Amino acid sequence: MTGTRTTIAALFLLPALVLLGALVVYPIGYSVVRSFYDQSGDGFAGFDNYQALFTDDGIRTALKNNVIWVVFAPTVATALGLIFAVLTERVRWGTAFKLVVFMPMAISMLAAGIIFRLVYDQDPDKGIANAVWVGVHDTFAQSSAFPKAHPGRQSPLEAAGGGAFVTKEPVRAGEPVALPLVGVAPDLMPDDAKPAAKPPADPGKITGTTWQDFTRGKGVGTLNAPDASEVGYAGMRIEAVKDGRVVASTTAAGDGTFTLPASAEGALLRLPADNFKEPYNGLDWLGPSLVTPAIIGSYIWMWAGFAMVLIAAGLAGVPRELLEAARVDGANEWQVFRRVTVPLLAPVLAVVTVTLMINVLKVFDLVFIIAPGSSQDDANVLALELYRKGFAEDQPGIASAIAVFLLLLVIPVMWFNVRRLRREVRR
C-alpha cells in the first residue's frame, strides 16, 4: 500500500520535476559547464573566464555598481515603506495613499524605464526633474535674459574678457552713451522690455541707452541708434570702471535707458559677464556621475509600495496593547516607534529587505532603458554586463561565468530568507 502511494505521488510530481529540470536545473548546469570553455565553446579555458570577472574594467564597474544597488536600494525602499505604513495607519485617506504608492508595481519595468528616461531628460521643457530643479534654482538666482547678446558691427563696445563688454572710450557727463547689442531673439526679450528711447543729456550725470540694435528687413534701421521697432535691454546691469575698480553701477529701465552719477565721468562703462551667462539648464541626471543614483531613484519609486504593503500587513498583526502600554508608561510616539514598533516588525523588515536585495542583484531592465549609450558603461550592472558579453560582444564563456557568479551571490541571500521564513512558521 505504501509503495502504491509513493508511486502515485511520484507520478503526480513527475511533470513538475520534468519542468523544473528542463527550465532550472539544466540551464544552471549548462551555464556552469559553459563558463569553463572559451569563446568558440570547443577549447577548455579553465578559470580564465572567472579571472576576467576581476580584471575586466566593465565587469569591475558592474560589480561596484551592484554593491551600491544592494546597499542603498533595498534600505531606502524598506525605510520609505516603513514610514508610509506607520504614518498612514490612523488617517482616513491612508488606504487611498497606499493605493497610489503601490500603483507603480502595476507598471512593467520597461514602461517605468521609458517614463523615467523622460523624467530625467536634460531639457527642462521635457524632463520634469530638471523643470523642478531649474524652477527652484531660478527662484534664488535669476538667469540672464541676454545669453547670446554681443556687440554688432561698428559698435562702441569691445570684449573685455570673461564674457563682459566694455566701451572703447571713457564716458563724459552730458554726453549720452549708446550701448547697442545684437543677438537676442525677439521672443526671448524680457516681458517688461519697451521700445528703446534716446536718453536726455544731463550735464551732471552719465546717461545712456542699451538696446537691441536690430530691425527686421534689409537696409532698414539706423546703425548704433535706437529705431522705433527696437526695444531696450530691460534689467541690463551697467558698471562704471576706473583703474580696474567699479565706482558706480545701475540697471537699465524697460526702455533701456540708464543714469549714472557724476562720479562715473571719465570711466569706462562695462556690461558684466553676468548679463550674458547661459541660463541654468539643471543637472545632468543621466550623466556619468548621477546616472546610477537616478536609476536607483526610479527603482525605489516602483518598489517602495511593495515594501509598504508587506510592512503594513505585519503592522496589522502587532498587538495594540503593547503600544498602548508603552504610551501609558510615558513613552512618546518616537520612542514607541523606535523601541516597540520597529523591534516587533524586525522579522517583516528583514524579509522585505532580503527580498529586495535578491531583486536588485538581478536588475537589468531599468539600467538598460534609462541609461543612455554615453553613460551606460558608468551605470553598468552584472545582469546588463552578462547581456552585453553574451550577445553584443559574443563572449558566451564570460557571460556564463557572470551568470554563475550572480547565482552564487543570490544563493546565500535566498538561504537566509528561507531559514527565516521556516523559523517564523515554527513559531
Side-chain angles (χ1 to χ4, degrees):
M1 189 69 176
T2 304
T4 304
R5 288 181 178 178
T6 303
T7 303
I8 293 173
L11 289 173
F12 276 104
L13 287 173
L14 185 60
L17 292 174
V18 170
L19 286 174
L20 185 66
L23 300 179
V24 178
V25 178
Y26 172 74
I28 291 175
Y30 181 81
S31 296
V32 172
V33 173
R34 188 66 183 81
S35 67
F36 290 103
Y37 283 82
D38 59 13
Q39 183 173 338
S40 66
D42 299 326
F44 185 73
F47 287 94
D48 290 349
N49 292 328
Y50 289 94
Q51 185 179 356
L53 298 180
F54 304 98
T55 57
D56 184 278
D57 289 338
I59 300 176
R60 289 166 64 183
T61 300
L63 185 58
K64 180 195 72 175
N65 287 337
N66 263 102
V67 172
I68 295 173
W69 272 88
V70 169
V71 171
F72 290 101
T75 305
V76 176
T78 304
L80 284 177
L82 175 62
I83 293 170
F84 291 155
V86 172
L87 292 183
T88 58
E89 186 186 19
R90 296 184 178 182
V91 295
R92 290 183 178 179
W93 44 267
T95 302
F97 178 83
K98 290 175 182 176
L99 179 63
V100 172
V101 175
F102 186 75
M103 200 174 294
M105 285 295 299
I107 302 174
S108 69
M109 286 281 195
L110 172 65
I114 294 172
I115 290 170
F116 275 89
R117 182 67 180 268
L118 295 174
V119 167
Y120 291 133
D121 195 287
Q122 178 69 44
D123 186 352
D125 293 331
K126 298 178 182 178
I128 189 172
N130 264 344
V132 173
W133 193 265
V134 169
V136 172
H137 174 274
D138 289 351
T139 301
F140 299 99
Q142 188 66 35
S143 296
S144 168
F146 324 110
K148 298 187 181 300
H150 60 275
R153 56 194 174 91
Q154 301 178 24
S155 174
L157 292 166
E158 62 183 0
F165 301 105
V166 67
T167 55
K168 297 176 181 177
E169 302 293 337
V171 295
R172 303 294 176 189
E175 298 179 8
V177 183
L179 302 179
L181 295 168
V182 296
V184 179
D187 57 335
L188 296 180
M189 291 295 289
D191 295 335
D192 55 348
K194 300 176 182 178
K198 294 181 180 180
D202 189 330
K205 296 181 180 179
I206 304 297
T207 58
T209 303
T210 177
W211 79 101
Q212 173 87 337
D213 190 22
F214 176 77
T215 301
R216 292 183 184 275
K218 186 176 181 180
V220 179
T222 305
L223 187 65
N224 295 333
D227 293 306
S229 63
E230 296 171 353
V231 296
Y233 279 128
M236 178 74 75
R237 185 163 183 79
I238 301 101
E239 297 175 343
V241 182
K242 283 184 181 180
D243 301 323
R245 185 171 58 90
V246 177
V247 296
S249 64
T250 187
T251 301
D255 59 1
T257 59
F258 61 89
T259 303
L260 289 164
S263 59
E265 184 169 6
L268 296 175
L269 297 191
R270 181 174 65 189
L271 304 180
D274 287 347
N275 288 317
F276 313 107
K277 65 182 180 181
E278 292 289 335
Y280 183 68
N281 206 35
L283 296 175
D284 188 6
W285 295 101
L286 299 181
S289 58
L290 290 178
V291 63
T292 294
I295 300 173
I296 290 176
S298 66
Y299 177 89
I300 292 170
W301 175 78
M302 288 192 68
W303 287 87
F306 167 82
M308 179 195 66
V309 169
L310 291 188
I311 294 170
L315 192 60
V318 172
R320 301 299 162 186
E321 53 270 18
L322 294 178
L323 305 179
E324 294 302 327
R327 295 187 181 100
V328 169
D329 287 341
N332 57 37
E333 290 301 320
W334 168 247
Q335 290 172 325
V336 171
F337 172 75
R338 186 165 62 92
R339 298 182 179 276
V340 180
T341 304
V342 172
L344 290 174
L345 287 175
V348 178
L349 296 175
V351 169
V352 172
T353 304
V354 171
T355 302
L356 293 179
M357 287 174 65
I358 296 172
N359 189 270
V360 300
L361 281 171
K362 303 179 293 180
V363 68
F364 166 78
D365 318 57
L366 288 177
V367 181
F368 183 71
I369 297 166
I370 296 177
S374 58
S375 300
Q376 203 166 83
D377 287 342
D378 301 284
N380 202 8
V381 289
L382 287 174
L384 176 59
E385 186 65 14
L386 186 157
Y387 168 81
R388 293 168 71 175
K389 292 294 186 189
F391 297 98
E393 301 178 20
D394 193 24
Q395 299 184 46
I398 295 179
S400 298
I402 295 174
V404 174
F405 183 62
L406 265 176
L407 177 65
L408 294 176
L409 291 177
V410 170
I411 284 177
V413 184
M414 291 179 60
W415 176 77
F416 173 82
N417 216 17
V418 170
R419 277 196 62 191
R420 179 169 285 277
L421 289 173
R422 285 180 176 174
R423 201 178 308 134
E424 291 300 316
V425 169
R426 291 190 192 123
R427 290 179 183 176

